[in-house]
Amino acid sequence: MSTRCCAFNSCTNNATKIAQWQKQICPIHNVNQGLASCICEPSFRLFPFPTTRKDDQLRKKWASIVNRKNGSENWEPKPDSRVCSEHFVDKRPTLQNPYPSLKLGYTPYKPIKSRPPPKHRSNSNVSPLSKKKRLVLEPISEHVSEQSLMFESATCMNDSSVEEVCEQLGTSQNEKLDNSHNDDLETKIASLEEKVKQLELDLSKKEDSRESRCIFSVAQILKSDLKMKFYTGIPTVAAFDAVYQSISPFLSKVRYWIGPRRVVCNPLKPKNKFHKNLRRLSAKEEMILCLMKIRLGLLNEDLAEGFSVSTTHVTNVITTWFKLLSAVLGTLVFNRSKETVRGNLPPSFQKVPYCDVRHIIDSTEVFIEKPNNLTIAAQTWSDYKHHNTAKILVSITPSGMINYISEAWGGRTSDKYVTQHSGFLDIIEPYDKVMADRGFPIQEDLALLHAELLIPPDRRGVSQMSTCDVKKTKQIANRRIYVEQAIRRLKCFRILKYEMPLSLIQHLDDIVRIAAGICNMYPPLPRYP
């Protein structure tokens, strides 16, 4: 089986290294680097040789630069022959640098240019003077008569006398040339300083005009805890600064999303240089814009008008920051240890058998637009909500902190199936107790893990519940109410409260993880004495 590799003998880059890189986990996006959700690029790329039909001369030029031999014959590139980006000046073939010229493995041959023949001189008796001396001997308008007479006398002298005359002429003329040159430089410097001042004034006017057009005042949001919580969901300005400080080390490595990747048929064709971050907003403004999208559920057009940027720029910013905020705020959602959970139990959970409860689970559904694909529309239809929805499993501790949140599933999926296949059972430890509703019949699954399920008694085949069953149902319902309140906190982010457009379905997992991380910054749900 052939492998695509670089044609240069001294280069070891090939497609196998790219495949191994794609299997690695990205430290920024926490997914495989080869997936579409990761926008990072490998350290090198492989470019095919130009085809004979499109550009035969360029193909032969590349083959000659590779400098390989096939016995006594010239080497011809094969269909799998490639040239990696490390051999190009611009990391890819461009119109300015279409040929590989770096790391060739040999010293390229440079032909020696022959010296042009000397020009024909009419007067061979006069010794040639240097360029500087000829320039000195040129007449000046103020001393035309004197210099012309001295020059005629100099032609009759020998070489030593010519040099003495040149020195005498040069002293006065160089002073005048220096003075005129200095005057020109001073005038140019003055004009350039005026232009710089004018440009700075224009730039300040543009910035003032942009700030005046901005509807949302970021400075006012950063000064008030109430506005910070209303616009972004983060409870205080100090918490926002702490989150920004944890994100700031990654900002220099972030590559902004500018659209779906397209296959480049012609490597010489110029394409969009999206690796250059032409930032119109500051990093804090971009972070607030993304959080406002989640907290208030505003349209991109509304955010573009509020921040005085284009709608396309808003789309690029929120798509990039969804991944970044999910990677940082998602770390706040983790499974606490048994000692931590037991040390923060509210009063209602301190009695047996509820003192060993570590997880309170329930599922929530987010409305989505109806998909055009009939199969997907059927998989997302919820008979309970009578709408197309996405189902998410939520688990909290008795103190109200979210310790697990699953990926989004179709609304048709049952609660039992989501619990069994979402990875929730992987965080269960022996002797844990899980509190749930009647819709989670997972006693057997938890029994295999030496855990216990606490659910209200079943009413099947019973016309009227006994006094003991009614009391147990009331006790579990009074304690399970905290997971309903935690879900209500999630739904305070209006993008999850109302119908989500299909264009944001791909970001639903990141949005839910960001909202859950912010909810864990709030005070505990139960009341402590």
Side-chain angles (χ1 to χ4, degrees):
M1 181 178 178
S2 61
T3 304
R4 294 178 177 178
C5 59
C6 186
F8 283 89
N9 291 325
S10 60
C11 187
T12 59
N13 293 334
N14 52 35
T16 304
K17 292 185 179 180
I18 296 179
Q20 293 175 356
W21 175 84
Q22 291 176 349
K23 295 179 182 179
Q24 297 176 359
I25 301 298
C26 179
I28 298 176
H29 306 102
N30 200 20
V31 294
N32 287 346
Q33 292 176 341
L35 298 178
S37 57
C38 178
I39 59 178
C40 299
E41 289 190 358
S43 59
F44 66 92
R45 295 175 60 189
L46 297 175
F47 297 97
F49 278 73
T51 58
T52 306
R53 177 181 296 179
K54 289 186 177 180
D55 198 342
D56 189 28
Q57 295 296 330
L58 185 60
R59 179 183 178 88
K60 292 180 180 179
K61 183 65 176 178
W62 281 28
S64 64
I65 294 175
V66 170
N67 196 22
R68 295 179 61 176
K69 297 292 182 181
N70 188 10
S72 61
E73 300 178 356
N74 293 330
W75 177 80
E76 290 291 332
K78 298 179 182 179
D80 288 336
S81 299
R82 297 291 188 271
V83 176
C84 68
S85 58
E86 293 183 357
H87 303 288
F88 293 96
V89 176
D90 299 327
K91 299 301 181 182
R92 60 185 180 88
T94 58
L95 295 176
Q96 292 78 10
N97 300 294
Y99 309 121
S101 59
L102 303 177
K103 299 181 182 180
L104 304 181
Y106 64 92
T107 303
Y109 171 74
K110 295 183 179 179
I112 301 175
K113 297 182 179 180
S114 61
R115 183 178 178 181
K119 295 182 179 180
H120 178 71
R121 295 181 177 89
S122 60
N123 189 4
S124 59
N125 297 325
V126 181
S127 60
L129 300 177
S130 63
K131 185 177 181 181
K132 182 182 289 186
K133 294 179 181 179
R134 289 199 301 269
L135 289 175
V136 173
L137 291 175
E138 290 181 359
I140 302 177
S141 59
E142 297 179 358
H143 306 279
V144 175
S145 60
E146 296 179 3
Q147 293 181 7
S148 60
L149 293 175
M150 294 178 68
F151 184 78
E152 290 176 357
S153 61
T155 54
C156 300
M157 300 178 183
N158 53 9
D159 295 340
S160 61
S161 60
V162 170
E163 293 180 357
E164 293 177 357
V165 172
C166 291
E167 292 178 358
Q168 294 176 1
L169 291 175
T171 53
S172 60
Q173 185 173 355
N174 287 335
E175 291 178 357
K176 294 183 178 181
L177 289 174
D178 292 340
N179 294 332
S180 61
H181 184 65
N182 292 334
D183 295 338
D184 294 339
L185 289 178
E186 290 178 358
T187 54
K188 288 182 179 180
I189 292 172
S191 62
L192 290 175
E193 289 178 351
E194 292 179 358
K195 288 182 180 180
V196 169
K197 291 180 180 179
Q198 184 65 29
L199 290 175
E200 290 178 352
L201 183 61
D202 295 341
L203 182 60
S204 62
K205 288 181 179 180
K206 288 184 179 180
E207 291 179 353
D208 294 340
S209 62
R210 191 186 72 82
E211 292 178 357
S212 62
R213 292 197 307 268
C214 290
I215 300 175
F216 302 112
S217 178
V218 177
Q220 295 298 327
I221 296 175
L222 295 174
K223 292 180 181 179
S224 173
D225 291 342
L226 293 176
K227 290 186 178 181
M228 177 62 68
K229 186 175 181 180
F230 174 78
Y231 284 105
T232 66
I234 297 178
T236 60
V237 177
F240 176 85
D241 293 336
V243 174
Y244 180 77
Q245 290 297 328
S246 61
I247 292 177
S248 57
F250 304 101
L251 295 178
S252 60
K253 302 178 182 179
V254 171
R255 295 173 61 88
Y256 280 70
W257 186 88
I258 63 165
R261 293 183 178 180
R262 298 176 177 86
V263 179
V264 180
C265 299
N266 185 4
L268 298 179
K269 183 178 180 181
K271 60 181 180 179
N272 295 330
K273 298 180 180 180
F274 74 101
H275 59 276
K276 291 186 178 180
N277 299 330
L278 302 178
R279 204 175 254 167
R280 298 192 183 106
L281 302 174
S282 64
K284 284 190 176 182
E285 289 177 339
E286 292 178 350
M287 182 176 172
I288 290 177
L289 185 148
C290 182
L291 292 174
M292 288 177 62
K293 176 70 176 180
I294 299 175
R295 172 66 180 84
L296 303 178
L298 300 176
L299 298 177
N300 290 355
E301 291 78 2
D302 193 4
L303 290 172
E305 184 70 21
F307 285 89
S308 186
V309 293
S310 63
T311 307
T312 305
H313 188 72
V314 171
T315 304
N316 298 341
V317 168
I318 63 174
T319 305
T320 304
W321 277 83
F322 278 158
K323 300 293 182 183
L324 187 58
L325 289 175
S326 175
V328 175
L329 293 177
T331 57
L332 300 179
V333 181
F334 63 96
N335 189 24
R336 279 78 176 170
S337 62
K338 289 184 178 181
E339 293 77 11
T340 304
V341 174
R342 183 164 291 188
N344 295 276
L345 285 176
S348 59
F349 282 86
Q350 293 179 358
K351 297 181 180 179
V352 179
Y354 304 109
C355 58
D356 294 330
V357 173
R358 195 176 174 189
H359 304 276
I360 307 175
I361 62 173
D362 198 2
S363 61
T364 182
E365 299 185 53
V366 179
F367 287 177
I368 62 173
E369 287 183 350
K370 183 178 179 181
N372 295 327
N373 191 316
L374 297 179
T375 303
I376 299 177
Q379 292 174 350
T380 57
W381 177 258
S382 174
D383 291 331
Y384 179 67
K385 298 290 185 180
H386 299 284
H387 201 280
N388 294 95
T389 62
K391 182 172 289 188
I392 302 166
L393 178 65
V394 181
S395 173
I396 68 168
T397 62
S399 60
M401 297 292 106
I402 300 175
N403 59 358
Y404 178 80
I405 194 159
S406 71
E407 297 179 349
W409 295 72
R412 190 178 180 181
T413 312
S414 64
D415 295 339
K416 180 179 179 180
Y417 186 87
V418 173
T419 307
Q420 291 174 342
H421 296 84
S422 63
F424 170 72
L425 298 178
D426 297 336
I427 66 173
I428 300 297
E429 297 180 4
Y431 309 107
D432 284 348
K433 289 186 179 180
V434 180
M435 185 176 289
D437 198 4
R438 293 190 183 94
F440 292 87
I442 54 174
Q443 294 91 337
E444 295 82 1
D445 301 302
L446 294 177
L448 294 175
L449 301 173
H450 304 282
E452 184 180 352
L453 178 67
L454 298 178
I455 59 174
D458 196 0
R459 291 184 56 187
R460 293 181 182 177
V462 179
S463 59
Q464 186 174 359
M465 296 179 64
S466 62
T467 305
C468 182
D469 292 343
V470 171
K471 184 177 179 181
K472 185 177 181 181
T473 301
K474 185 177 180 180
Q475 290 176 352
I476 293 177
N478 289 339
R479 291 164 175 81
R480 206 186 62 84
I481 194 65
Y482 296 129
V483 71
E484 301 289 348
Q485 295 176 1
I487 292 175
R488 182 180 176 277
R489 277 184 174 179
L490 282 176
K491 292 298 182 70
C492 286
F493 293 86
R494 299 172 70 87
I495 197 172
L496 301 175
K497 186 176 182 180
Y498 300 106
E499 187 179 74
M500 180 174 290
L502 294 176
S503 59
L504 292 178
I505 297 299
Q506 57 180 337
H507 306 299
L508 179 57
D509 294 336
D510 295 328
I511 292 172
V512 173
R513 198 174 295 112
I514 293 170
I518 295 176
C519 288
N520 281 346
M521 299 180 185
Y522 294 163
L525 289 171
R527 293 182 179 179
Y528 289 85

